[in-house]
Amino acid sequence: MNWEDFRHWGRRAADWAADYHAGLRQRPVRAQVAPGAVLAALPDTPPESAEAMQAIFDDFEQTIMPGMTHWQHPRFFAYFPANAAPVSVLAEYFVSAIAAQCMLWQTSPAATELETRVCDWMRQAVGLPDGFTGVIQDSASSATLCAVLTMRERALAWQGNKAGLAGQPRLRVYCSAEVHTSIDRAIWIAGIGEDNLIRIPTQGSNRAMDAEALRTAIATDRAAGHLPAGIIACTGGTSAGASDDIAAVMDVAEAEGLYTHVDAAWAGSAMICPEFRALWAGVERADSVVLNPHKWLGAQFDCTTHFLRDPEDLVRTLAIQPEYLKTHGADGIVNYSEWSVPLGRRFRALKLWFLIRAHGLKGLREMIRNHVTWAQALAARLDKTDGFAVVTTPMLSLFTFRHAPEGVQDLDAHNQDLVNRINEDGRIYLTQTRIDGALVIRFQAGAFTATSEDVATAYDVITELAAP
Ligand SMILES: *Cc1c(COP(=O)(O)O)cnc(C)c1O
């Protein structure tokens, strides 16, 4: 294909995308293919000769599409959303067409300067004070890794990268048991080791870290000669939306001189609505905060905003040329590749800019408020339905429930079976989790195009399939 052919196929792709989205409600949300079916339909060996674009396109529709789960489906109630507003898809199309590698300011000044601007727009949008500076990372996992590396280097007086961890005291990092697995992985990759990630017990309906237990754990570690490095708090944990009391965590961190990272990967998008900000009160005192506009907000994956109170700590940890630090900021040039683990950088700021402008904060707030209202209504309705009980009440738009009809012995197996049957039915898609050991059904409303009728359909499907 050359760029002249591209004109034709690009138009067809745009039509295909619009048709795909117009017909999404008619498709099962979760792919209904058997394991291995797509693989078996693909030739074992690569083609030697060029194939016609029409043949490739036909196979894409016939072989690939049936094996896709539709994350943009309005009745996607599983995991967390990965919303891609049409305007952000369009921005990604331009980014693909330009295909610039935006690692340094001079490799595309507009990409760097737009990133600076939209990160600051996002900072204002979620109500973080102007002492924070933002950068776009590929994912929350990467941002958390950056934060863990920074807390490691800071605790080791910047010697870890140079001398390694051998011979150093054991570094300790603290979090609750509700944090995302990306925290564990960051700890592994940073060489700190899982045994040194200390899980603080949680308490209360928000399933928040017990600040007193946190203080005790730090004191015990210091007495044992270990080196506390930082605390990772979460706002909106993945399982049931657990949210730490950030202010209480910050009191401990400040008293102990520890670096703090707040993981608000999902819930952070909701902070564009001032009424939800109580959920992360105290966040303005954190060193590092991550939230994903690629989840609820609608900036096509991948687009993570990472806010830092002192980016110098991060750059000192990750910049490969320490002398660069001396000019950092002074000449007005920022090289964002020194703020993240990969050197190469996609132009991710463009879709965020398109999204915020095309919908306005008002439009995005309305979407989030609707989802929260509808999820609360569904939770209340299920709770009043015979045989159903809400297990964790809505944290924003996320709650868990259980079907516990009389006479069922193994409720875990019964609920897993119900989840499986719901997903095989295809009208909606949701997942399970465990709360205090018990298997529960997890529901979140967050699809960009969801309506209150879609959430009502969820009620109908759940109760219909649960009926004996
Ligand atoms: C989704 C999620 C993550 C991981 O996000 P990625 O961007 O996929 O790395 C981390 N923490 C929480 C709380 C999440 O919900």
Side-chain angles (χ1 to χ4, degrees):
M1 180 186 293
N2 59 33
W3 287 103
E4 278 310 309
D5 301 331
F6 188 89
R7 278 184 205 287
H8 167 73
W9 286 101
R11 285 186 188 113
R12 281 200 52 181
D15 283 340
W16 183 91
D19 291 342
Y20 166 70
H21 281 270
L24 259 183
R25 271 196 182 76
Q26 278 71 58
R27 296 189 189 235
V29 192
R30 198 201 60 186
Q32 305 287 318
V33 292
V38 176
L39 183 64
L42 298 166
D44 292 337
T45 53
E48 285 295 336
S49 311
E51 296 187 53
M53 191 57 216
Q54 185 64 53
I56 301 171
F57 185 75
D58 290 347
D59 288 345
F60 160 68
E61 288 201 297
Q62 283 153 32
T63 308
I64 304 302
M65 283 313 291
M68 294 307 292
T69 290
H70 305 290
W71 282 72
Q72 305 310 316
H73 198 298
R75 292 191 299 269
F76 182 100
F77 302 119
Y79 308 100
F80 281 138
N83 284 336
V87 72
S88 81
V89 175
L90 209 54
E92 281 289 55
Y93 188 92
F94 293 135
V95 166
S96 298
I98 304 163
Q101 214 278 42
C102 306
M103 60 187 170
L104 303 171
W105 177 86
Q106 63 171 319
T107 65
S108 277
T112 295
E113 296 184 12
L114 183 64
E115 181 162 339
T116 302
R117 185 59 75 212
V118 292
C119 282
D120 200 60
W121 281 10
M122 276 299 297
R123 176 194 65 73
Q124 296 172 50
V126 299
L128 287 173
D130 62 10
F132 280 93
T133 308
V135 57
I136 297 180
Q137 306 277 9
D138 54 8
S139 63
S141 303
S142 286
T144 296
L145 175 59
C146 290
V148 168
L149 291 170
T150 304
M151 56 179 78
R152 183 192 80 183
E153 286 305 292
R154 193 175 156 275
L156 295 175
W158 317 101
Q159 287 305 299
N161 280 341
K162 188 169 188 307
L165 302 190
Q168 298 286 2
R170 285 176 85 123
L171 290 159
R172 299 289 237 194
V173 175
Y174 309 86
C175 65
S176 84
E178 299 280 338
V179 296
H180 189 263
T181 50
S182 56
I183 309 323
D184 302 63
R185 281 169 146 185
I187 294 289
W188 300 349
I189 297 165
I192 293 172
E194 184 85 47
D195 290 350
N196 297 309
L197 179 62
I198 308 303
R199 312 272 182 179
I200 305 300
T202 56
Q203 56 179 16
S205 60
N206 276 11
R207 312 177 77 78
M209 238 192 285
D210 174 350
E212 224 21 72
L214 172 63
R215 227 181 284 269
T216 307
I218 296 168
T220 307
D221 280 347
R222 289 208 198 276
H226 301 333
L227 182 57
I231 307 172
I232 298 173
C234 76
T235 301
T238 314
S239 176
S243 293
D244 289 318
D245 178 342
I246 308 289
V249 169
M250 290 310 309
D251 287 343
V252 179
E254 284 165 10
E256 299 284 346
L258 299 183
Y259 194 87
T260 48
H261 174 63
V262 175
D263 178 4
W266 162 68
S269 292
M271 301 310 167
I272 63 171
C273 307
E275 70 271 28
F276 299 134
R277 290 182 194 156
L279 209 53
W280 72 354
V283 70
E284 65 284 353
R285 293 154 68 193
D287 291 301
S288 163
V289 182
V290 64
L291 64 97
N292 280 346
H294 70 223
K295 277 188 170 156
W296 205 347
L297 215 55
Q300 157 142 323
F301 188 83
D302 46 6
C303 183
T304 290
T305 45
H306 184 194
F307 296 99
L308 300 141
R309 216 145 44 108
D310 186 0
E312 291 294 335
D313 284 345
L314 175 68
V315 174
R316 190 163 177 188
T317 300
L318 294 177
I320 206 79
Q321 297 164 301
E323 65 269 24
Y324 175 76
L325 258 184
K326 293 172 197 139
T327 64
H328 170 68
D331 54 8
I333 287 178
V334 180
N335 292 320
Y336 281 124
S337 58
E338 307 200 331
W339 299 47
S340 49
V341 175
L343 173 70
R345 310 188 96 241
R346 299 180 59 242
F347 184 9
R348 297 191 183 86
L350 194 71
K351 59 193 164 192
L352 198 48
W353 190 52
F354 274 38
L355 175 77
I356 296 171
R357 294 186 60 188
H359 291 271
L361 291 176
K362 266 193 202 160
L364 297 171
R365 281 189 202 111
E366 187 188 333
M367 169 187 70
I368 283 176
R369 285 174 178 144
N370 279 340
H371 293 157
V372 172
T373 305
W374 299 336
Q376 285 170 345
L378 177 64
R381 213 174 149 199
L382 273 174
D383 206 40
K384 280 199 224 102
T385 304
D386 254 9
F388 284 94
V390 164
V391 177
T392 58
T393 52
M395 183 64 87
L396 300 169
S397 60
L398 167 67
F399 68 93
T400 63
F401 65 96
R402 197 159 150 95
H403 186 230
E406 271 177 41
V408 174
Q409 296 292 323
D410 188 345
L411 282 176
D412 283 4
H414 174 79
N415 279 273
Q416 183 63 64
D417 177 62
L418 179 54
V419 169
N420 294 346
R421 284 187 296 116
I422 288 170
N423 293 338
E424 278 153 26
D425 171 85
R427 279 174 288 171
I428 67 171
Y429 181 27
L430 36 68
T431 47
Q432 72 286 334
T433 187
R434 279 188 187 273
I435 298 293
D436 303 325
L439 191 131
V440 299
I441 304 178
R442 186 181 173 285
F443 179 96
Q444 66 77 28
F448 208 79
T449 51
T451 62
S452 59
E453 289 76 44
D454 290 313
V455 179
T457 300
Y459 179 86
D460 296 343
V461 172
I462 293 164
T463 51
E464 177 192 318
L465 295 178

